[in-house]
Amino acid sequence: LEEALGAIAEAAELWQRVGRCERHLARLDLAAAAFEASARDWQVLGEQVQQAAAIHNQGQVALARSHYDEAFGIFTRALACATPTPDAAAPRDDLAQLHLDLARAHRGRGDLAAERRHAALAQACAEAAPTRLVARSTLLVADVRAGLSGALEALGPVLRELEAAGLLLEASEATAV
């Protein structure tokens, strides 16, 4: 039995790698199928945090396709798996990334209040400095989009920090506002 469970865990990890490769090659249908297979394997093993990571990757594929409603639903499932109990929650930076992606899905859906809420949750969860910086910029972008006073002025220094940290893609996304 242990050998069989080990083989399932190896298969789940391999499906994750295949999914990342397919996503990188822009073969999004294949990526989504691989991530779904990985999530299914992790579910069989009862490994909710790993299952959440696989589901999160599925949501990123939906986000890449601009399927914001689908991404929202998938990310919501991932969040439920990532936080089964306070003792068994995913690492804080993984939760922060999940909230950042939920903010992006809400932005695509036009729900600015939910975008801001998840950006703030990402900032609260983030432990690593780059993750905190991206979360802060996402929250400021949501504030700018909502028309909050002073948000645009506060975004400038954060953009410079993103660029200095080598987070050029994130800086580019923030300046698109």
Side-chain angles (χ1 to χ4, degrees):
L1 180 64
E2 281 184 44
E3 197 172 302
L5 294 175
I8 293 171
E10 285 181 33
E13 290 172 10
L14 286 172
W15 281 122
Q16 283 282 77
R17 288 187 199 126
V18 167
R20 284 192 292 273
C21 289
E22 296 296 352
R23 183 173 56 202
H24 178 73
L25 296 170
R27 296 190 295 214
L28 299 180
D29 288 338
L30 295 173
F35 292 135
E36 184 177 336
S38 178
R40 212 176 21 251
D41 287 348
W42 288 122
Q43 182 181 23
V44 165
L45 295 172
E47 298 288 347
Q48 286 187 286
V49 173
Q50 289 89 342
Q51 181 186 3
I55 295 170
H56 184 182
N57 280 320
Q58 280 181 281
Q60 288 176 327
V61 170
L63 205 56
R65 292 177 169 155
S66 301
H67 296 172
Y68 301 113
D69 289 332
E70 179 185 355
F72 164 72
I74 293 170
F75 290 143
T76 301
R77 280 185 27 237
L79 189 58
C81 286
T83 55
T85 67
D87 296 337
R92 293 184 59 82
D93 283 334
D94 291 353
L95 289 174
Q97 186 59 53
L98 184 51
H99 282 295
L100 285 170
D101 286 338
L102 268 162
R104 289 181 184 106
H106 284 300
R107 181 184 310 149
R109 298 171 76 219
D111 189 343
L112 299 180
E115 175 190 7
R116 188 176 194 294
R117 184 176 62 253
H118 282 286
L121 287 167
Q123 190 172 3
C125 288
E127 289 182 333
T131 307
R132 280 195 316 271
L133 187 56
V134 171
R136 190 169 66 192
S137 72
T138 303
L139 181 56
L140 282 170
V141 166
D143 289 348
V144 168
R145 292 170 54 83
L148 294 180
S149 175
L152 192 55
E153 294 78 15
L155 187 57
V158 173
L159 290 175
R160 288 189 288 282
E161 284 183 61
L162 285 169
E163 290 169 354
L167 299 168
L168 302 179
L169 179 60
E170 289 80 357
S172 173
E173 288 177 355
T175 55
V177 174

